[in-house]
């Protein structure tokens, strides 16, 4: 997985192109990061929420970013 796509998706969502990715616990913004197994995950700064992106979610993000570019 490439974190760049997820960062780009989040940047574009802030411009209103996509629905923003929000924490389901407190509706805070989610930030992308990558673990040492190359898995991209999203995390919330204000609570301990963390979500590893599944292949389908990741592919949807890649497609959305490519279509936007
Ligand atoms: Zn949260």
């Amino acid at each position: 997985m490439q974190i760049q796509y997820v960062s780009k998706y989040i940047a574009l969502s802030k411009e209103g192109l996509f629905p923003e990715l929000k924490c389901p616990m407190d509706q805070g913004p989610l930030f992308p990061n990558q673990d040492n197994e190359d898995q991209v995950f999203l995390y919330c700064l204000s609570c301990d929420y963390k979500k590893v992106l599944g292949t389908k979610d990741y592919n949807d993000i890649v497609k959305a970013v490519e279509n936007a570019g």
Side-chain angles (χ1 to χ4, degrees):
M1 287 186 175
Q2 293 179 49
I3 195 171
Q4 294 93 315
Y5 279 108
V6 183
S7 304
K8 181 93 197 216
Y9 183 94
I10 288 173
L12 290 172
S13 74
K14 285 185 179 143
E15 293 171 17
L17 269 79
F18 311 124
E20 279 196 61
L21 301 173
K22 290 200 173 141
C23 174
M25 314 300 284
D26 58 10
Q27 305 301 305
L30 292 175
F31 298 87
N33 208 337
Q34 198 158 27
D35 66 21
N36 47 23
E37 286 170 7
D38 237 28
Q39 279 277 332
V40 174
F41 61 91
L42 299 167
Y43 69 97
C44 175
L45 277 180
S46 46
C47 68
D48 285 335
Y49 178 80
K50 177 181 163 183
K51 182 191 186 211
V52 175
L53 274 186
T55 309
K56 185 186 180 300
D57 288 335
Y58 176 75
N59 288 339
D60 285 348
I61 284 175
V62 170
K63 257 186 238 161
V65 168
E66 285 182 341
N67 288 339

